[in-house]
Amino acid sequence: MTFYTIGISYKKADTSMRSKFSLSEEAVNKLLYDAQLQKIDSLMVISTCNRTEIYGHAAHPFVLISLLCKYSNGTVE
């Protein structure tokens, strides 16, 4: 497992884009539970008005990216 950081930041994305990837408390809890089911044993989620980030150990960064997309509105148009 490798440690990865993935996220959306005010430095690279405008407000409209960041809002699509924000996570409610309920979404964070579901994301963390899903990560446990996927045997991801270390994970931290930060979701504020300026950024959403996931830090954790995974086999590949796409594992964390897919969790973020699954529990946010980032992939819905």
Side-chain angles (χ1 to χ4, degrees):
M1 295 285 190
T2 303
F3 183 79
Y4 296 103
T5 301
I6 60 108
I8 306 294
S9 168
Y10 73 95
K11 293 180 180 182
K12 299 286 183 175
D14 63 18
T15 304
S16 174
M17 181 61 70
R18 289 193 315 269
S19 68
K20 292 179 182 180
F21 288 94
S22 66
L23 297 167
S24 66
E25 185 176 345
E26 180 182 2
V28 170
N29 290 332
K30 287 179 180 180
L31 186 153
L32 292 172
Y33 180 73
D34 194 356
Q36 276 185 317
L37 295 177
Q38 295 185 43
K39 306 293 187 209
I40 299 171
D41 55 0
S42 61
L43 192 74
M44 183 174 83
V45 178
I46 297 173
S47 188
T48 70
C49 60
N50 282 326
R51 64 189 173 137
T52 299
E53 297 173 343
I54 298 177
Y55 302 87
H57 289 92
H60 196 279
F62 291 140
V63 174
L64 302 182
I65 293 167
S66 68
L67 285 170
L68 176 58
C69 291
K70 182 176 181 178
Y71 292 101
S72 70
N73 293 317
T75 58
V76 177
E77 286 296 318

